[in-house]
Amino acid sequence: MAMMNDNPADCPSSSSCGLEVENLTKLYPPVRKGLVGFRDLVDTLKGRREEVLALKDISFGVRGGEWFGLLGPNGSGKTTLCNIILDTTTPTSGHVLYDGFDVNREHEKIQGRICTMQYQFLLQRVNVRDSLRRAGAEWMLPREEIEERMNWLVDIFDMREKLDDWLVRLSSGMFRKVMMIATLMSGAELLVFDEPTQGMDVFTRKKLYQQLHHFQRDSGTTVFWTTHNLHEAEETCDRIAVIDNHLVTVTTPKKLVQEMEKANLEEAFISLLRGNKTQTRGASKGTGSE
């Protein structure tokens, strides 16, 4: 069955397309062999060393204020794409634009406007309240704004009773929830979450979805979300992009399920990627026989 993209690279207008991925390709150097590189030198001279493909010519747009999901199997390039958006990895070619600025070349224009959940610095024997205050200080917020944002967020995420608990006493799911609140303390316009619900049970996850949607509705924040939990993506995402080192489709969860004629997003995702791999192998054989 042919898949139809829901405007894969375009947004309704340039002003509503907050994040634009344009012809993005990322190649990593070949894996090193041996201790001193002699085998690398021999393979290079014989032309046997090949770069590792992470992303190939990917283009799509993320609308401002939407919850956008990035789906794909292990090794499909999801984390690499997130790292490029966060300017911790440089693309081999192509661009990622946020509000018209290249995130890898005009970092000073978007500094503080994009954030991810990387608060492993939180100290175990410090309570939640002081941890969130420290996160606000990291973003150089005024003291009054730190207190205001912290109180707003702990009420949204139902964490007020945990404010005086040490982090070491929290469950892994609650600890990740504190990390998420610390991220939201930044006030960033675009949040990049790479599998943020690991370690959370189904009840905590479902409550988190509701709370994060509440936050998003009140703040207008754009959420860029990767996950292997297809039920999670079906429940939360406005639109999704499916990648497998290249772009497979951009659509909504509901449309993908309907077009693949499956019962849910997980079944549709499996069917889509199996069909895509079959087409890719067929195209490769056709090219080789010409």
Side-chain angles (χ1 to χ4, degrees), residues 3-4 6 251-261:
M3 284 302 304
M4 295 176 60
D6 183 29
T251 185
T252 67
K254 184 177 180 179
K255 283 185 178 180
L256 182 58
V257 171
Q258 291 173 342
E259 291 169 359
M260 300 304 296
E261 300 178 353

Side-chain angles (χ1 to χ4, degrees), residues 3-262:
M3 284 302 304
M4 295 176 60
N5 282 2
D6 183 29
N7 248 352
D10 301 319
C11 295
S13 66
S14 58
S15 60
S16 64
C17 191
L19 184 73
E20 298 172 80
V21 178
E22 298 181 347
N23 307 116
L24 199 67
T25 295
K26 176 62 180 180
L27 297 168
Y28 286 104
V31 177
R32 182 172 180 142
K33 301 175 183 177
L35 295 177
V36 296
F38 178 74
R39 291 178 61 188
D40 285 344
L41 177 61
V42 172
D43 286 346
T44 299
L45 293 175
K46 292 184 177 181
R48 293 190 303 215
R49 295 190 78 206
E50 294 183 359
E51 294 176 310
V52 179
L53 176 68
L55 300 169
K56 181 180 179 182
D57 197 28
I58 289 180
S59 298
F60 61 83
V62 179
R63 298 163 186 160
E66 79 174 327
W67 191 318
F68 189 90
L70 184 67
L71 309 180
N74 288 328
S76 62
K78 299 187 301 299
T79 298
T80 294
L81 181 49
C82 288
N83 288 339
I84 291 173
I85 294 172
L86 295 166
D87 194 28
T88 58
T89 297
T90 303
T92 304
S93 63
H95 308 277
V96 175
L97 305 178
Y98 182 70
D99 196 20
F101 299 111
D102 190 315
V103 300
N104 302 113
R105 295 176 175 84
E106 300 175 282
H107 184 74
E108 69 284 352
K109 302 283 183 63
I110 59 167
Q111 190 169 10
R113 301 175 67 186
I114 303 176
C115 185
T116 190
M117 197 168 76
Q118 291 182 339
Y119 280 90
Q120 284 83 0
F121 69 79
L122 294 175
L123 302 176
Q124 295 290 311
R125 294 187 179 273
V126 175
N127 64 33
V128 173
R129 187 191 310 274
D130 289 339
S131 298
L132 296 179
R133 284 173 174 165
R134 180 179 177 183
E138 288 281 329
W139 287 98
M140 296 182 288
L141 299 178
R143 183 174 299 177
E144 297 78 9
E145 186 174 349
I146 290 174
E147 296 299 316
E148 183 179 345
R149 287 193 67 84
M150 179 179 67
N151 287 319
W152 175 50
L153 290 168
V154 296
D155 284 339
I156 288 179
F157 288 88
D158 196 22
M159 289 287 287
R160 184 164 294 279
E161 293 183 359
K162 300 289 186 181
L163 280 175
D164 295 318
D165 289 359
W166 282 2
L167 295 183
V168 72
R169 294 175 179 168
L170 299 179
S171 66
S172 60
M174 282 294 176
F175 182 76
R176 290 188 71 81
K177 203 170 183 179
V178 173
M179 290 174 63
M180 181 168 287
I181 296 173
T183 304
L184 303 184
M185 288 289 292
S186 67
E189 303 163 11
L190 172 63
L191 301 174
V192 180
F193 290 135
D194 190 7
E195 301 180 41
T197 57
Q198 288 180 341
M200 291 185 181
D201 63 63
V202 63
F203 303 105
T204 304
R205 285 203 316 270
K206 283 185 173 293
K207 192 169 185 179
L208 178 68
Y209 305 153
Q210 297 172 355
Q211 293 163 338
L212 195 53
H213 270 300
H214 180 187
F215 165 80
Q216 187 186 25
R217 184 185 67 240
D218 290 351
S219 64
T221 304
T222 304
V223 176
F224 189 87
W225 184 278
T226 81
T227 181
H228 285 293
N229 187 329
L230 279 298
H231 297 294
E232 175 178 284
E234 189 168 15
E235 187 171 345
T236 61
C237 297
D238 300 314
R239 290 191 305 144
I240 55 172
V242 180
I243 65 172
D244 194 4
N245 303 119
H246 63 283
L247 183 66
V248 179
T249 188
V250 178
T251 185
T252 67
K254 184 177 180 179
K255 283 185 178 180
L256 182 58
V257 171
Q258 291 173 342
E259 291 169 359
M260 300 304 296
E261 300 178 353
K262 298 297 180 180

